[in-house]
């Protein structure tokens, strides 16, 4: 009878979350974004999913695909000349800029930093114009790359993610696929994970200092990209190592800048706790 009573009490405590397996006590992440997807990078196992296949704009996360296409098309040491059109396009659309000036000549390597750290639409325009050649052909390459990667619910209309007639869209699921792909490229991974990059003045260009817009760096993540437009909301593509595991996540349609980082940290904390309890 005593043994039966102990067994019943243990069962009741386990149901209440006061005893039993550790995973019974893990806390669900606090997620306020509209679309979210988080995976274990090594296994591809989903850790959290919310409307991950819903088609929505992804703002400047688009520039990760721009970097991917450039890496397949250009030498890092190749030199690109900035034009008035590159600068004018970014300024006219109110986009984030890297402060480039017409006539400057910068390497592709440096322009990747200008593209991904301050999220420069001027750098995106210069790279797309050069390696399309022409922006329209470059966007065609972006969409071809998306198809080749199995990103079936993704369509790009420009290389910078600014709102444009024609309706660019992707999904959290597809963007995680892209993130996993580009992390295998050591150059893109290095650039996207850099907090600050300085370019010294030369006869070819002015001096520049670019700071990464990703506030998870360097302690909470290894990269990859932020984004914001009014239609897309606050977006974040990130990768982080926790306790020997790497997690890759995408947050879309978040309400505020601060909220996207809270959501990312909460997702990572919950995934880490679940892995420890398994």
């Amino acid at each position: 009878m005593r043994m039966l009573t102990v067994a019943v009490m243990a069962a009741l405590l386990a149901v209440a979350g006061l005893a039993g397996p550790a995973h019974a006590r893990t806390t669900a992440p606090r997620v306020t974004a509209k679309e979210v997807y988080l995976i274990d990078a090594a296994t591809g196992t989903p850790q959290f999913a919310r409307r991950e296949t819903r088609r929505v704009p992804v703002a400047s996360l688009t520039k990760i695909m721009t970097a991917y296409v450039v890496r397949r098309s250009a030498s890092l040491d190749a030199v690109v000349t900035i034009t008035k059109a590159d600068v004018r396009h970014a300024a006219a659309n109110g986009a984030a800029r890297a402060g480039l000036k017409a006539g400057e000549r910068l390497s592709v390597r440096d322009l990747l930093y200008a593209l991904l750290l301050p999220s420069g639409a001027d750098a995106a325009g210069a790279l797309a114009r050069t390696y399309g050649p022409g922006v329209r052909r470059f966007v065609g390459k972006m969409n071809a790359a998306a198809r080749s990667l199995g990103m079936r619910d993704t369509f790009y209309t420009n290389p910078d993610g600014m709102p444009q007639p024609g309706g660019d869209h992707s999904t959290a699921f597809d963007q995680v696929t892209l993130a996993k792909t580009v992390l295998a490229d050591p150059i893109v991974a290095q650039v996207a994970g850099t907090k600050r990059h300085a370019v010294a003045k030369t006869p070819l260009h002015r001096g520049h200092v670019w700071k990464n817009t990703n506030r998870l760096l360097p302690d909470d993540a290894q990269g990859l990209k932020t984004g914001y437009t009014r239609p897309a909301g606050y977006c974040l593509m990130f990768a982080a190592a926790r306790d020997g595991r790497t997690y890759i996540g995408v947050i879309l349609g978040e309400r505020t800048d601060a909220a996207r980082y809270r959501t990312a940290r909460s997702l990572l904390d919950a995934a880490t706790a679940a892995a420890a309890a398994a």
Side-chain angles (χ1 to χ4, degrees), residues 217-243:
L217 298 175
D219 298 328
D220 294 317
Q222 302 162 333
L224 286 157
K225 189 73 187 72
T226 64
Y228 171 77
T229 61
R230 188 181 298 274
Y234 291 88
C235 304
L236 182 66
M237 176 189 287
F238 62 97
R242 293 281 189 94
D243 294 347

Side-chain angles (χ1 to χ4, degrees), residues 10 12 34 58 80 88 93-94 98 103 108 111 120 134 146 150 159-160 173 181-182 188 239 276:
L12 290 173
K34 293 179 180 178
V58 297
V80 173
R88 186 167 54 245
N93 289 281
V108 167
L111 285 175
D160 52 44
F173 182 94
T181 300
V182 300
V188 176

Side-chain angles (χ1 to χ4, degrees), residues 19-191:
H23 61 74
R25 301 192 299 273
T26 58
T27 302
R30 179 189 176 194
V31 176
T32 53
K34 293 179 180 178
E35 298 86 24
V36 179
Y37 195 49
L38 181 77
I39 67 167
D40 182 313
T43 64
T45 305
Q47 307 296 300
F48 187 91
R50 171 183 288 177
R51 302 186 190 94
E52 72 276 13
T53 60
R54 184 183 180 191
R55 292 180 172 183
V56 292
V58 297
S60 285
L61 301 196
T62 296
K63 295 185 178 88
I64 291 290
M65 178 58 86
T66 299
Y68 176 75
V69 173
V70 168
R71 285 287 290 135
R72 291 159 60 90
S73 306
S75 164
L76 291 172
D77 295 325
V79 174
V80 173
T81 301
I82 309 303
T83 68
K84 290 181 179 179
D86 302 328
V87 177
R88 186 167 54 245
H89 166 78
N93 289 281
R97 287 169 276 173
L100 305 179
K101 299 293 184 182
E104 287 191 278
R105 301 178 65 198
L106 292 109
S107 70
V108 167
R109 184 189 300 272
D110 284 335
L111 285 175
L112 287 174
Y113 283 99
L115 175 74
L116 298 183
L117 271 63
S119 199
D122 41 6
L127 289 166
R129 174 182 49 76
T130 304
Y131 293 106
V135 172
R136 181 175 297 181
R137 289 184 65 181
F138 188 88
V139 172
K141 290 182 177 181
M142 294 171 68
N143 286 315
R147 291 192 296 271
S148 72
L149 295 175
M151 298 168 63
R152 299 175 182 174
D153 293 304
T154 296
F155 178 72
Y156 295 105
T157 57
N158 59 43
D160 52 44
M162 293 300 293
Q164 181 174 317
D168 66 301
H169 59 257
S170 187
T171 66
F173 182 94
D174 279 3
Q175 290 298 299
V176 164
T177 297
L178 177 60
K180 187 174 182 179
T181 300
V182 300
L183 280 171
D185 180 339
I187 298 300
V188 176
Q190 177 184 336
V191 172

